[in-house]
Amino acid sequence: MSTSVLSTDALSARVDTIFHKAGLNALQASAITRVIVAAERDACKSHGIYRIEGALRTIKAGKVTPDAVPELLPQQAPAIVKVDAKGGFANPAFEVGLPALIERAHACGVAALAINDAVHFSALWVEVEALAQAGLAGLAMCPSYATVAPTGGNRPLLGTNPFAFGWPREGQPPYVFDFATSVAARGEIELHRRAGKPLPEGWAIDSDGKPTTDPEVALAGAMLSFGGHKGSAIGTMIELLAGIMIGDLTSPEALDLIGTTTLYPSHGELIIAFSPQAFAAGRAGNPLARAETLFEAILGQGARLPSQRRFLAREKSERDGIVLTHQEMEQLDRLLEQGLDAV
Ligand code: NDP
Ligand code: PYC
């Protein structure tokens, strides 16, 4: 298979140009470029450059506001920061809310950022990593659109509802996990379809509720929650906290609004930041040092930490460049040349 190698800057320039040409303002284009390129750099293919096409389709369909400028809303409660994404992508809204979230979390010990009216398609680890860089532990979560059957059910209702956690570490990358609450992200099913590969068993059911390993059939049927009833309950919690509680759409409502899973859904997101130092104040031991003992014990058994693969991939990409296949390069060239006409 022939491949090309691009630096992070070179890939960013291409992706940013694609989005500028598609009509996004600089704020929207640069924020979604950062998250897509970061995913590609970290070998998170399900949320890397493959996501460009979906973003272009969503722009072309008029389902995202291309010139949105997210607004940090006036503070109504000391530990709640709210950003109105104004119909733009969630990523610039997060960047607008981040400084206030960090400041409030250090001041109050815990604070939350609610993002409303955002179009969402990205990985969440970027956000909890940004909090960890500021010395904060963080949780991030959002609904998606209805594609996952609740355990015991047989039709799409919950979203693939991602859930991410970050914990700061001194002198090394943070402890971060980030996963869909479905067995796999929907992007993984699409990547299997494109590669003509069957799905592993247990990922999905067909429209009659029977198990399937055919990606096409799975996309028309329903995905399954990870860990059965446990993932189903966590997915439901995310609908409650990051949908209903923040006054935004649930996954079934988001699908009803957009009417298709080929465009990106509009909904909210909830990010919670905790100051380990504030919570541990007055108790014995430094929380960050105690966490290291736990991580060492995990590693000591031969297990790996979540994100370890990703940080290694990042190191390699930063050292050697990002490797793209011939097909991926062709696709980038096509999107650069044809813009919205390509989708
Ligand atoms: P994965 O199953 O690929 O990975 C989940 C997490 O588990 C990662 O942090 C991963 O670290 C870690 N992990 C994997 N294997 C091991 C192991 N053996 N030991 C320890 N840790 C391990 O994630 P998903 O496919 O479920 O999700 C991928 C992305 O999709 C996420 O970033 C998520 O935010 C995004 N997503 C976004 C949605 C949206 O609506 N915006 C919806 C659904 C998903 P590592 O990366 O190092 O392998
Ligand atoms: O991969 O499940 C997914 C997904 C849905 C929306 C964005 N990513």
Side-chain angles (χ1 to χ4, degrees), residues 56-181:
L56 293 181
R57 276 197 303 271
T58 311
I59 297 166
K60 187 172 178 175
K63 300 294 184 191
V64 61
T65 307
D67 56 354
V69 177
E71 184 188 351
L72 183 62
L73 299 177
Q75 195 94 36
Q76 289 176 334
I80 301 178
V81 177
K82 291 190 179 188
V83 174
D84 180 349
K86 304 269 178 124
F89 288 105
N91 316 89
F94 173 76
E95 291 181 4
V96 164
L98 179 65
L101 176 63
I102 291 173
E103 188 278 321
R104 290 287 80 207
H106 283 302
C108 303
V110 60
L113 166 62
I115 296 173
N116 288 113
D117 296 329
V119 173
H120 208 298
F121 68 86
S122 53
L124 300 187
W125 50 259
V126 176
E127 301 176 355
V128 293
E129 272 191 35
L131 291 175
Q133 259 175 21
L136 298 165
L139 285 173
M141 64 192 89
C142 66
S144 178
Y145 31 38
T147 50
V148 179
T151 296
N154 56 15
R155 285 189 306 283
L157 179 72
L158 305 171
T160 49
N161 300 3
F163 191 45
F165 170 75
W167 177 272
R169 302 181 71 192
E170 277 162 5
Q172 47 191 331
Y175 175 93
V176 171
F177 69 71
D178 178 18
F179 48 70
T181 47

Side-chain angles (χ1 to χ4, degrees), residues 20 33 37 64 111 137 147 149 163 223 229 231 239-240 250-251 253 264 288 290 299 317 333:
H20 267 104
T33 294
V37 172
V64 61
T147 50
F163 191 45
M223 297 166 67
H229 62 285
E239 301 286 347
L240 294 171
T250 60
S251 296
E253 291 167 343
Y264 293 145
L288 298 196
R290 294 187 61 211
L299 294 167
S317 295
D333 289 343

Side-chain angles (χ1 to χ4, degrees), residues 6-328:
L6 271 75
S7 68
T8 306
D9 286 349
L11 180 58
S12 299
R14 277 177 189 238
V15 176
D16 198 51
T17 306
I18 291 172
F19 287 130
H20 267 104
K21 281 176 72 174
L24 291 189
N25 65 16
L27 198 72
Q28 297 288 325
S30 60
I32 67 169
T33 294
R34 271 192 283 284
V35 73
I36 286 173
V37 172
E40 199 63 42
R41 176 202 63 197
D42 284 16
C44 293
K45 296 298 279 185
S46 69
H47 288 79
I49 56 169
Y50 137 73
R51 290 280 166 185
I52 299 172
E53 252 184 271
L56 293 181
R57 276 197 303 271
T58 311
I59 297 166
K60 187 172 178 175
K63 300 294 184 191
V64 61
T65 307
D67 56 354
V69 177
E71 184 188 351
L72 183 62
L73 299 177
Q75 195 94 36
Q76 289 176 334
I80 301 178
V81 177
K82 291 190 179 188
V83 174
D84 180 349
K86 304 269 178 124
F89 288 105
N91 316 89
F94 173 76
E95 291 181 4
V96 164
L98 179 65
L101 176 63
I102 291 173
E103 188 278 321
R104 290 287 80 207
H106 283 302
C108 303
V110 60
L113 166 62
I115 296 173
N116 288 113
D117 296 329
V119 173
H120 208 298
F121 68 86
S122 53
L124 300 187
W125 50 259
V126 176
E127 301 176 355
V128 293
E129 272 191 35
L131 291 175
Q133 259 175 21
L136 298 165
L139 285 173
M141 64 192 89
C142 66
S144 178
Y145 31 38
T147 50
V148 179
T151 296
N154 56 15
R155 285 189 306 283
L157 179 72
L158 305 171
T160 49
N161 300 3
F163 191 45
F165 170 75
W167 177 272
R169 302 181 71 192
E170 277 162 5
Q172 47 191 331
Y175 175 93
V176 171
F177 69 71
D178 178 18
F179 48 70
T181 47
S182 44
V183 178
R186 194 165 180 81
E188 286 292 344
I189 305 221
E190 175 58 21
L191 291 177
H192 276 75
R193 188 189 68 78
R194 288 181 180 201
K197 286 194 200 150
L199 301 175
E201 282 180 20
W203 280 25
I205 50 179
D206 66 17
S207 43
D208 296 323
K210 298 203 185 69
T212 183
T213 56
D214 180 334
E216 202 91 58
V217 174
L219 289 169
M223 297 166 67
L224 295 172
S225 292
F226 85 92
H229 62 285
K230 301 178 186 181
S232 189
I234 295 175
T236 306
M237 175 195 79
I238 293 171
E239 301 286 347
L240 294 171
L241 292 178
I244 291 167
M245 186 181 82
I246 66 166
D248 218 305
L249 299 183
T250 60
S251 296
E253 291 167 343
L255 182 58
D256 277 352
L257 182 73
I258 199 154
T260 172
T261 56
T262 60
L263 305 176
Y264 293 145
S266 177
H267 50 72
E269 183 180 345
L270 180 68
I271 301 113
I272 307 171
F274 309 86
S275 161
Q277 303 299 351
F279 276 92
R283 305 287 305 171
N286 174 331
L288 298 196
R290 294 187 61 211
E292 290 309 313
T293 309
L294 181 64
F295 299 145
E296 274 160 30
I298 294 172
L299 294 167
Q301 292 194 14
R304 77 157 165 102
L305 298 181
S307 291
Q308 212 170 313
R309 173 204 66 86
R310 203 163 54 70
F311 291 132
L312 284 174
R314 182 181 302 180
E315 231 177 87
K316 185 170 181 317
S317 295
E318 282 168 351
R319 188 185 58 238
D320 304 335
I322 299 171
V323 181
L324 297 182
T325 63
H326 178 62
Q327 285 92 329
E328 287 171 329

